[in-house]
Amino acid sequence: MSGINYFGIQLSSGDASERLQNALRQVKALIFPVEGILTGSQVTFNDRGEEICSCNVRDALAIREAMQRGLHIAAISERSSDAQRHLLDHLGIEYVYLDCDRKVDAYQEFKTGLGLEDEECAYIADDVVDIPVLEKVELSITPIDGIEYLRNRVSYISAYEGGKGCIREMIELILQEQGKWEYSEYSAM
């Protein structure tokens, strides 16, 4: 198995929990798609054909807490809608990339704009369209309902579904490992 590498994970090197802890300590930015991760895997429309977006309240609270503690948050989408813009604005997410033909280009723009390295970025994704970004970041994540192909290759599989607490779990893990999350019995503080 020596030399095999899946999305930044060297399969034969060291303890998996130690590698995860090291990756969590380095994270300065968390990036995720709007669909599938922030809003879940369904797109809903009202009777006038307008998109309706919602997100998990605990994810929203964690996003705000993370930004207050210095973690950069970015949202990327292949689509663009008024509902998405309204939701992302309401959450206060500063780095928003909508209507992206290639998410990896948005990722590169975000990373370069902040002077970040791949090792300082975590990306949560649930489908194959996100593979180019997952292959670049140090910490690649999929929710429990992410496609099997990703679940077999990422650094971490969340215990939660996209749109149902996955973002919250990752923010807690990152900030706990960095000693910046005070709401845990097991915080590294």
Side-chain angles (χ1 to χ4, degrees):
M1 298 224 328
S2 180
I4 296 176
N5 187 311
Y6 282 114
F7 297 173
I9 304 169
Q10 187 67 34
L11 294 182
S12 60
S13 62
D15 177 353
S17 62
E18 184 179 320
R19 286 193 316 268
L20 177 61
Q21 288 174 328
N22 289 336
L24 290 166
R25 281 186 210 113
Q26 294 181 64
V27 173
K28 293 183 180 177
L30 178 64
I31 306 108
F32 47 80
V34 177
E35 303 90 353
I37 302 302
L38 179 62
T39 63
S41 341
Q42 295 184 345
V43 178
T44 307
F45 297 91
N46 66 20
D47 60 353
R48 294 181 304 276
E50 300 164 331
E51 184 176 341
I52 301 168
C53 281
S54 62
C55 72
N56 183 290
V57 174
R58 292 182 182 139
D59 284 344
L61 176 62
I63 288 168
R64 289 187 181 130
E65 291 277 340
M67 290 185 299
Q68 289 174 359
R69 286 164 173 69
L71 186 66
H72 299 291
I73 303 290
I76 300 175
S77 178
E78 307 95 359
R79 302 173 47 256
S80 178
S81 72
D82 290 339
Q84 285 178 330
R85 281 188 289 281
H86 182 72
L87 175 60
L88 296 168
D89 184 55
H90 175 73
L91 294 173
I93 297 175
E94 183 178 353
Y95 306 100
V96 175
Y97 303 86
L98 302 178
D99 239 350
C100 297
D101 290 328
R102 292 174 23 100
K103 290 181 180 181
V104 70
D105 293 341
Y107 167 72
Q108 285 297 129
E109 181 181 328
F110 167 73
K111 186 181 78 156
T112 302
L114 289 173
L116 297 171
E117 300 295 327
D118 291 330
E119 294 78 18
E120 299 171 312
C121 296
Y123 191 77
I124 308 173
D126 68 337
D127 214 331
V128 295
V129 70
D130 296 293
I131 288 174
V133 181
L134 290 169
E135 289 175 331
K136 290 190 168 292
V137 298
E138 177 72 16
L139 183 57
S140 57
I141 305 142
T142 195
I144 192 70
D145 64 336
I147 64 165
E148 183 177 357
Y149 185 82
L150 296 185
R151 289 193 317 266
N152 289 326
R153 288 164 174 80
V154 295
S155 310
Y156 185 80
I157 301 170
S158 170
Y160 296 88
E161 293 180 17
K164 296 182 179 178
C166 176
I167 292 172
R168 171 68 177 246
E169 178 190 21
M170 292 319 304
I171 288 172
E172 283 189 21
L173 286 174
I174 291 164
L175 295 179
Q176 280 178 14
E177 194 59 42
Q178 295 177 3
K180 298 177 183 175
W181 187 260
E182 60 193 80
Y183 310 110
S184 171
E185 297 296 321
Y186 306 103
S187 180
M189 293 174 65

